Amino acid sequence: MVQLPAEAYPVHIAVNSLRDTAELIRQYTPARQIVIITNPLVDGLYGDRVRQGFTPERQVLTLHVPDCETSKSAEQTQRLYTELISHKIERGAVIIALGGGVIGDLAGFVAATYLRGVALVQIPTTLLAQVDSSIGGKVGVNHPLGKNLIGAFKQPLFVSADVSALQTLDDAEIRCGLGEVIKYGFILNRPFFEFLEVNLEKALLKDEATLQEIVRVCVAEKARVVEQDEKEAWLRMALNFGHTFGHALERLYNFSQLKHGEAVILGMKSALVYARLRGMLDAASAERGMALLNRVPVVYDKSMINPERLTEFMSLDKKVKSGKVRLVLINEIGKNFIEESVDISAIKESFGILVN
Ligand SMILES: NC(=O)c1ccc[n+]([C@@H]2O[C@H](COP(=O)([O-])OP(=O)(O)OC[C@H]3O[C@@H](n4cnc5c(N)ncnc54)[C@H](O)[C@@H]3O)[C@@H](O)[C@H]2O)c1
Ligand SMILES: [Zn+2]
């Protein structure tokens, strides 16, 4: 269990724990109405395990949204409100977000806003959701003009990450989650980076003990950042390592041919090259970083890489402050810093390495 002192909610990380959900909820709230928001795929795999422990005096309602990023929308939010109202779901209810980051963000936003807020439980079932999106309280939906533009902060009663649920994840989703995982090693935790150097293949093969250790460390790191960020607003920025480059890549590929985690892996490669070009990172660390990233295979259409356009997209990124690009970089493995005066030609050159 990990405590976030400022927000004070626990994160349970365990194996085969989905069937303990009802018992856990009972410990936190006497709520009689339980609403599970999920998608058909995750419900088919894990819904029964989550529902099984609830005694008959609890009203358990399961609501589905389509399995896609576009479910993070005002339309789905509205539809869910309508379902909740027509089922007479009251202020004392609990909403369970059962699924990946899409479900966590959408169900979390519904929980933050329905009747001015009802209790939320996060049950993340992807690696990305377990190590990243379920921690920190950011919830929200997309707008036709941009991703994650509408949102709120909503802290859950608790997060319950069942590492066993990751066994059914596609290999591609594991690789995406590992992008974020490696990021924590780069920016904050050198021993964890070294752990990944030893254990990366086990993680790719979904070895349960390895995944559990990974989720444990990453949750603790994200919790630490979120907690300290309350005092130092810039700290969350460190989590953007590889992301400013990555967002430009996602945009280049129209948010379809490249998954977010894959874009982050490529973005971290560019960030390493950039730091190296600027003389901010030694050659040995850059090579070591690159060697770990190269062990997570990412397939992308290299002929589409256009450093000029990517650099333009990067200046449009939302992390741009007063017209200036700011970059999170590392100056050694495990230590991040923010570069305020970015060198545009070095950025172009850093994107260039993705062509080779
Ligand atoms: N709130 C935050 O702080 C935060 C942080 C990072 C990302 N996000 C958001 O998270 C979303 C991405 O989340 P994601 O990568 O989890 O994608 P996702 O939610 O789309 O899940 C990926 C796929 O895996 C399936 N799936 C989920 N659990 C499974 C399981 N156990 N077995 C088999 N299949 C399973 C899903 O149905 C989906 O098809 C994005 O919308 C992103 O904006 C939010
Ligand atoms: Zn990310």
Side-chain angles (χ1 to χ4, degrees):
M1 186 183 293
V2 178
Q3 291 285 347
L4 303 178
E7 288 138 350
Y9 63 84
V11 182
H12 302 265
I13 301 159
V15 293
N16 290 318
S17 55
L18 285 174
R19 41 175 62 89
D20 304 332
T21 304
E23 174 54 25
L24 271 175
I25 288 185
R26 202 187 54 74
Q27 290 171 19
Y28 288 87
T29 165
R32 303 188 80 79
Q33 293 181 311
I34 314 289
V35 181
I36 301 170
I37 298 180
T38 185
N39 69 35
L41 174 74
V42 176
D43 193 13
L45 289 166
Y46 300 114
D48 286 344
R49 287 190 211 177
V50 171
R51 279 182 292 266
Q52 70 175 25
F54 291 103
T55 47
E57 67 271 14
R58 304 240 191 172
Q59 176 193 351
V60 181
L61 172 67
T62 302
L63 300 176
H64 285 177
V65 294
D67 183 4
C68 50
E69 174 70 27
T70 49
S71 280
K72 267 176 60 174
S73 65
E75 290 73 24
Q76 284 301 327
T77 307
Q78 180 74 7
R79 196 184 61 78
L80 290 168
Y81 292 149
T82 306
E83 293 271 7
L84 295 172
I85 296 164
S86 43
H87 284 91
K88 301 191 166 46
I89 299 301
E90 295 172 1
R91 179 77 183 77
V94 179
I95 289 181
I96 300 178
L98 173 67
V102 166
I103 295 290
D105 281 10
L106 170 67
F109 184 64
V110 169
T113 48
Y114 178 66
L115 301 179
R116 296 194 186 82
V118 300
L120 172 69
V121 167
Q122 289 276 10
I123 306 196
T125 61
T126 63
L127 182 57
L128 181 129
Q130 294 190 354
V131 300
D132 188 355
S133 60
S134 68
I135 313 296
K138 280 190 184 175
V139 295
V141 296
N142 301 326
H143 185 276
L145 296 180
K147 275 193 71 176
N148 298 323
L149 293 181
I150 314 298
F153 279 94
K154 175 72 183 173
Q155 308 305 341
L157 290 177
F158 64 88
V159 179
S160 174
D162 181 349
V163 178
S164 311
L166 304 180
Q167 290 303 324
T168 50
L169 264 191
D170 276 1
D171 291 348
E173 297 296 344
I174 293 281
R175 290 198 293 269
C176 279
L178 284 174
E180 305 287 353
V181 165
I182 295 171
K183 178 188 79 181
Y184 290 110
F186 272 127
I187 59 173
L188 293 166
N189 190 330
R190 185 187 177 100
F192 181 56
F193 184 93
E194 288 163 356
F195 172 87
L196 292 172
E197 286 184 314
V198 176
N199 292 291
L200 193 80
E201 276 65 35
K202 281 203 221 161
L204 285 164
L205 294 170
K206 297 187 262 197
D207 173 68
E208 210 160 74
T210 306
L211 290 174
Q212 189 168 4
E213 177 62 7
I214 283 174
V215 174
R216 187 188 70 73
V217 174
C218 293
V219 165
E221 289 296 359
K222 181 145 187 198
R224 191 158 68 97
V225 169
V226 172
E227 153 76 1
Q228 288 179 27
D229 188 55
E230 305 238 308
K231 289 161 246 148
E232 300 167 273
W234 53 269
L235 204 71
R236 243 186 214 232
M237 244 195 106
L239 299 173
N240 274 319
F241 179 61
H243 279 61
T244 312
F245 289 98
H247 289 151
L249 287 157
E250 282 184 279
R251 201 183 270 245
L252 183 82
Y253 288 97
N254 285 319
F255 296 96
S256 55
Q257 284 143 277
L258 200 63
K259 289 173 186 284
H260 173 75
E262 296 174 321
V264 171
I265 291 171
L266 301 182
M268 289 190 289
K269 290 185 184 181
S270 296
L272 291 178
V273 173
Y274 178 88
R276 184 74 203 110
L277 283 171
R278 300 274 282 144
M280 293 159 164
L281 181 68
D282 63 282
S285 302
E287 269 166 38
R288 200 171 161 183
M290 206 60 94
L292 183 62
L293 290 170
N294 283 337
R295 286 160 64 190
V296 187
V298 177
V299 179
Y300 61 104
D301 181 358
K302 288 187 180 174
S303 70
M304 274 181 74
I305 296 286
N306 176 338
E308 290 278 340
R309 283 191 75 201
L310 282 164
T311 308
E312 270 167 42
F313 287 154
M314 201 150 144
S315 344
L316 298 173
D317 193 80
K318 68 174 175 185
K319 265 64 195 186
V320 177
K321 280 267 162 71
S322 58
K324 274 172 56 182
V325 180
R326 295 197 299 172
L327 277 181
V328 183
L329 299 172
I330 58 165
N331 45 17
E332 59 181 90
I333 287 172
K335 288 225 163 63
N336 68 82
F337 70 97
I338 303 210
E339 146 117 296
E340 299 276 357
S341 45
V342 166
D343 178 332
I344 296 291
S345 66
I347 288 187
K348 271 184 215 153
E349 207 175 327
S350 317
F351 277 124
I353 58 117
L354 299 176
V355 184
N356 306 311

